[in-house]
Amino acid sequence: MNEMFLLKLGELVLKGLNRRMFEDKLIANAQRRLKAHGDFKVYTKQSTMYVEPKHDGCDMDGAWEALKKVFGIVGLSRARACAKDADAMLATAKTYLHGQLSSARTFKVEAKRADKTFPMTSIQLSQYVGGELDDAFPNLKVDVHHPELTVHLEVRDYAAFVHADPEPGAGGLPVGANGRAVSLLSGGIDSPVASWMMAKRGLALEMVHFFSYPYTSPEAKEKVIELARLLTPWCGRLTVHVVPFTEIQEELRRSCPEELFTVLMRRFMMRIAQRVAFRTGAGAIVTGECLGQVASQTMEAMRCTEAVCELPMLRPVVGMDKEEIVRIARKIGTFETSILPYEDCCTVFTPRHPRLRPVLGELERAEAALDIEALVDRAVKGIERIKVG
């Protein structure tokens, strides 16, 4: 039989009556990611997802890498199916895992018998296959506590499967299983990480970027589009809503106290993001705010920022150190792009002495000089939508 993949499902196996909905979402997400690598059959049985190539032309290596970034999967194994017979499993292990068995120094065999009609117990099957492999490969020594290689035998309903140690998957919940949110995507390090973290919790995302041409360059916008592109292997297809923000920032600079400018700007961002959320059916707004990192991210400033929103604000990196955020950015492949030296709209209009602890009433009095609805309406009407992935 051909090689296939066994995927271990994460916390969705703990779901109750709605578990099937989570599994269907995961299957649909996996099928979309696999489409570029060939025609695969994807299905779930007994808390395991099976991915079988339908023909020899499938790109198994490309499919393997794609599946490692699918949220909802906690472990992946490349496996070979065989008959539900101890000698068939032994022969398959000898051939399919020959390279690993030849190079390892210590090993053990671990059997699972999901099909209780199989005549041997799990321990008996492990002892039989382990003893035969020990005889066949003189380089191997049995170590049941800390083996260099574990040979896994799984006896299931329709076949047995032989594979080595699984690799870790992306974890989390299937994208889209928990609804949709709007995520603010700047050109920095934090917002791509925040987006990734919320996608891992099952949110499908609409990305919003605020663009202040000519103060920020077309290259700065392309940098953000590239960040979205780097997120698509994890988050699926994305739409980036590019908001023209120059008029609002210039009006704030003309009409409002400089020290309040940053928080006033953030309040406009939230108003516009909420409009996008209502239009796209999103139920929350995601930001990359981290407590105390900059002037607009004090507790008081964040309270004033979210006061203009009806929707919940999700801030997944709010309590993280910068080193933790950078570590995730490197892991998901966004860090090198995030540090490219193109300024975004927040840095261009930064006041010299921003107010660290703004008062809501003071901000509302400053905004009284503005035609807020007209400014927001024009910005929303000018949105450019760019599909990525």
Side-chain angles (χ1 to χ4, degrees), residues 57-72:
C58 291
D59 176 8
M60 296 296 285
D61 291 337
W64 177 257
E65 292 303 316
L67 289 170
K68 287 201 292 188
K69 296 178 179 178
V70 175
F71 291 126

Side-chain angles (χ1 to χ4, degrees), residues 2 31 38-42 51-58 60:
N2 289 331
Q31 287 174 328
D39 194 8
F40 292 84
K41 180 182 178 182
V42 183
V51 178
E52 299 178 6
K54 292 185 178 180
H55 53 77
D56 292 337
C58 291
M60 296 296 285

Side-chain angles (χ1 to χ4, degrees), residues 41 80 92 100 116-117 128 146 154 170 218 257 324 363 385:
K41 180 182 178 182
R80 179 67 54 83
T92 302
Q100 290 153 286
K116 301 306 180 185
T117 65
Y128 172 70
H146 304 289
E154 300 191 30
E324 295 174 288
L363 293 166
R385 294 168 185 83

Side-chain angles (χ1 to χ4, degrees), residues 114-369:
D115 178 5
K116 301 306 180 185
T117 65
F118 187 74
M120 301 172 74
T121 67
S122 297
I123 293 175
Q124 290 171 336
L125 180 59
S126 297
Q127 289 174 337
Y128 172 70
V129 174
E132 294 294 320
L133 291 176
D134 191 38
D135 291 340
F137 294 87
N139 55 294
L140 288 176
K141 180 181 177 182
V142 175
D143 182 349
V144 296
H145 299 295
H146 304 289
E148 188 177 329
L149 172 67
T150 300
V151 176
H152 293 267
L153 311 175
E154 300 191 30
V155 184
R156 294 186 172 269
D157 284 349
Y158 302 113
F161 300 92
V162 177
H163 61 89
D165 294 309
E167 291 191 24
L173 292 170
V175 169
N178 275 330
R180 182 174 297 274
V182 162
S183 187
L184 274 60
L185 185 64
S186 71
I189 298 169
D190 302 342
S191 59
V193 170
S195 300
W196 178 86
M197 292 177 70
M198 294 317 302
K200 186 175 181 178
R201 296 310 305 157
L203 284 180
L205 298 176
E206 298 281 338
M207 316 305 286
V208 173
H209 174 64
F210 295 91
F211 184 52
S212 297
Y213 185 81
Y215 301 104
T216 51
S217 65
E219 289 79 10
K221 182 170 81 171
E222 287 304 313
K223 170 185 170 180
V224 171
I225 301 304
E226 177 60 21
L227 286 172
R229 191 172 292 113
L230 293 170
L231 287 171
T232 56
W234 306 92
C235 303
R237 293 171 294 190
L238 295 171
T239 298
V240 183
H241 301 255
V242 181
V243 180
F245 206 53
T246 307
E247 181 189 4
I248 290 174
Q249 289 184 299
E250 289 179 339
E251 186 60 33
L252 288 173
R253 187 165 59 180
R254 266 193 307 270
S255 306
C256 299
E258 182 187 6
E259 66 271 16
L260 300 179
F261 181 81
T262 302
V263 180
L264 291 170
M265 178 179 66
R266 295 288 295 179
R267 282 163 64 86
F268 270 95
M269 288 180 174
M270 296 307 119
R271 292 181 177 106
I272 294 167
Q274 183 163 262
R275 289 277 197 95
V276 175
F278 290 154
R279 176 183 288 176
T280 58
I285 298 171
V286 179
T287 79
E289 291 167 299
C290 180
L291 185 62
Q293 184 167 250
V294 295
S296 65
Q297 295 176 17
T298 63
M299 191 163 56
E300 295 84 355
M302 287 192 283
R303 175 178 176 269
C304 292
T305 296
E306 69 183 17
V308 300
C309 287
E310 301 172 29
L311 296 179
M313 302 284 295
L314 305 179
R315 300 181 174 99
V317 303
V318 70
M320 297 174 68
D321 292 335
K322 196 66 176 183
E323 291 81 1
E324 295 174 288
I325 299 171
V326 167
R327 186 161 59 246
I328 296 175
R330 291 186 187 277
K331 170 187 172 181
I332 66 178
T334 58
F335 179 75
E336 295 300 329
T337 300
S338 289
I339 62 173
L340 292 174
Y342 300 117
E343 293 191 326
D344 62 30
C345 67
C346 295
T347 57
V348 170
F349 287 84
T350 301
R352 289 167 294 180
H353 302 290
R355 183 74 59 83
L356 298 179
R357 291 175 174 81
V359 177
L360 184 58
E362 186 180 17
L363 293 166
E364 291 171 342
R365 286 192 294 275
E367 288 176 338

Side-chain angles (χ1 to χ4, degrees), residues 60-106:
M60 296 296 285
D61 291 337
W64 177 257
E65 292 303 316
L67 289 170
K68 287 201 292 188
K69 296 178 179 178
V70 175
F71 291 126
I73 298 168
V74 296
L76 306 88
S77 301
R78 300 179 83 130
R80 179 67 54 83
C82 64
K84 292 194 293 183
D85 174 81
D87 289 324
M89 285 182 263
L90 172 61
T92 302
K94 285 181 177 178
T95 55
Y96 182 59
L97 301 178
H98 186 273
Q100 290 153 286
L101 289 165
S102 299
S103 60
R105 291 167 296 180
T106 60

